[in-house]
Amino acid sequence: MRFDADWMSRADDRILEHLSDDGPDTPKEMADSDRVRFSRQHINARCKTLVEYGLLVHLGNGVYDITREGEQYLAGELDARDLESE
């Protein structure tokens, strides 16, 4: 069971799942995938927020990847309500 936080949106789990399964990717490529199904602009904004809370890392050139904490959240081992913005 996952423990999400008030600052999270519906897109966040899809983004984290996509990156966990498929590896580093850009918001444009995520938007073009069948899994995420949100606009590139919304995905980009959510990725920035997920970086602030340590669930994603920005690798440069618009590419994001999931962190160990992001994997722990997906596995239900991390309560996102305990995370603080950097």
Side-chain angles (χ1 to χ4, degrees):
M1 181 171 171
R2 294 181 188 158
F3 301 97
D4 63 351
D6 292 341
W7 55 265
M8 296 182 81
S9 80
R10 287 185 334 149
D12 295 352
D13 280 11
R14 303 296 83 75
I15 292 167
L16 291 165
E17 290 166 354
H18 174 85
L19 295 174
S20 178
D21 291 345
D22 298 338
D25 214 346
T26 65
K28 181 187 181 321
E29 294 300 319
M30 286 186 256
D32 291 343
S33 77
D34 290 334
R35 171 178 265 167
V36 182
R37 295 186 182 179
F38 290 91
S39 72
R40 181 194 58 76
Q41 294 86 352
H42 185 66
I43 294 169
N44 188 54
R46 296 311 308 160
C47 284
K48 290 178 181 181
T49 299
L50 292 167
V51 167
E52 287 179 25
Y53 284 91
L55 298 177
L56 293 184
V57 62
H58 184 232
L59 301 176
N61 295 323
V63 177
Y64 293 90
D65 198 11
I66 191 167
T67 63
R68 184 171 53 90
E69 290 81 5
E71 294 285 3
Q72 289 173 330
Y73 165 76
L74 287 178
E77 300 167 358
L78 177 79
D79 189 335
R81 295 171 292 188
D82 295 334
L83 299 174
E84 294 185 18
S85 177
E86 296 176 357

